[in-house]
Amino acid sequence: MRNVALWALVVVNALLAVAWVMRSTAPNAAMAQAARPGDYVMIPGQVIGGGGSSVVYLVDTTNGTLSAVSYDGRENLAVMPPIDLTRLFEGNAR
């Protein structure tokens, strides 16, 4: 019985060693996104007539969109849906 337990431990240790070698020799590449992420410009500002709320304008220069995020200080985060800047600058925006 001791002989069987000893060989079982040897086999388990061999499998663990093989798994460790395969894990440590595999390339460590992050594959989080298939597309290239955008380049962002963040611009702080304030809303005139908005009760002194501060705003952060977000410009995605890769996709040509503008958005804004505002925090009112009471655990409320307001997010503006993105605006297509290319359409806006072409004069076709409404």
Side-chain angles (χ1 to χ4, degrees):
M1 186 67 175
R2 265 190 168 169
N3 204 9
V4 173
L6 178 67
W7 280 107
L9 287 175
V10 168
V11 168
V12 169
N13 282 327
L15 289 174
L16 287 172
V18 167
W20 178 74
V21 167
M22 290 178 62
R23 178 82 172 152
S24 63
T25 59
N28 192 10
M31 300 291 183
Q33 296 179 349
R36 179 177 174 262
D39 295 325
Y40 297 98
V41 177
M42 300 173 73
I43 306 163
Q46 288 194 351
V47 177
I48 298 174
S53 296
S54 295
V55 176
V56 176
Y57 298 99
L58 305 166
V59 180
D60 183 351
T61 58
T62 302
N63 298 320
T65 59
L66 168 71
S67 184
V69 178
S70 176
Y71 179 70
D72 67 359
R74 295 180 307 224
E75 298 182 12
N76 293 329
L77 189 67
V79 180
M80 181 184 86
I83 297 173
D84 187 12
L85 291 177
T86 56
R87 198 174 124 215
L88 182 71
F89 289 139
E90 288 174 354
N92 297 332
R94 294 180 185 207

